[in-house]
Amino acid sequence: MPSIDWQVAAAIATVISTVAFAASAIVVVLQLRQAARETLFFGHRPSVRNLAESEFQHDQLFLLHKLPRSTWEDFCALGRGEHAERAIHRVGGYYDRVGNLVRHNLIRKDDILPTIGGYAVAVWYRIEPLVKELRLRENAVLFQNYESLLPECQECYVPGIGHLPTVTRPHRPAK
């Protein structure tokens, strides 16, 4: 019967346990990173429920259809801290958070932009002059994530519009 070289066996066991320890450490680090991303996502994600909130919808529709003026002085005449300013910060903040999550790959833009892209573009065109003025006066980075999201939103909102064929109506003879 062959004898066992215990020094070789101990060396092999040491190598195997070291590799197992290193592999488990790598797995733990990867799991912790994933958990941190999920915590960030679920803690700050813009939910579909937020879109359905009546106050959010009211503010968004106000910006789209009833925001009467686009100059800073006229906007301030509506009252600082009043409905118009609250609407800009609520709606713009929502789209800014979406832009931040998309930028950090915490949500896939294909999952959310087809739903909100059109509204994001429409609201931006209404509030852009005011945002530019607010950046000069109060917050230099206001809604930058929102603005960076707009090219993708535009693509979702009007996909391939340049490639649509023109529709021609058949000629009807006069009676």
Side-chain angles (χ1 to χ4, degrees), residues 11-37:
I12 292 172
T14 301
V15 169
I16 290 173
S17 65
T18 301
V19 169
F21 179 76
S24 66
I26 290 170
V27 168
V28 167
V29 168
L30 292 175
Q31 287 177 339
L32 287 174
R33 285 185 181 169
Q34 183 63 31
R37 289 182 73 172

Side-chain angles (χ1 to χ4, degrees), residues 63 67-89 126-140 142-143:
L63 294 175
L67 185 63
R69 298 168 179 95
S70 62
T71 67
W72 178 252
E73 289 76 22
D74 292 339
F75 177 75
C76 288
L78 294 174
R80 293 299 308 263
E82 297 296 326
H83 184 232
E85 187 172 9
R86 185 188 73 224
I88 284 177
H89 287 291
R126 294 284 296 174
I127 68 170
E128 180 182 21
L130 298 171
V131 171
K132 301 291 184 188
E133 189 71 27
L134 277 166
R135 285 179 180 168
L136 292 173
R137 294 176 181 262
E138 296 177 9
N139 183 349
L142 183 68
F143 303 149

Side-chain angles (χ1 to χ4, degrees), residues 7 45 53 72 80 107 152:
Q7 288 181 339
R45 73 182 167 139
E53 284 182 8
W72 178 252
R80 293 299 308 263
I107 55 174
E152 287 89 3

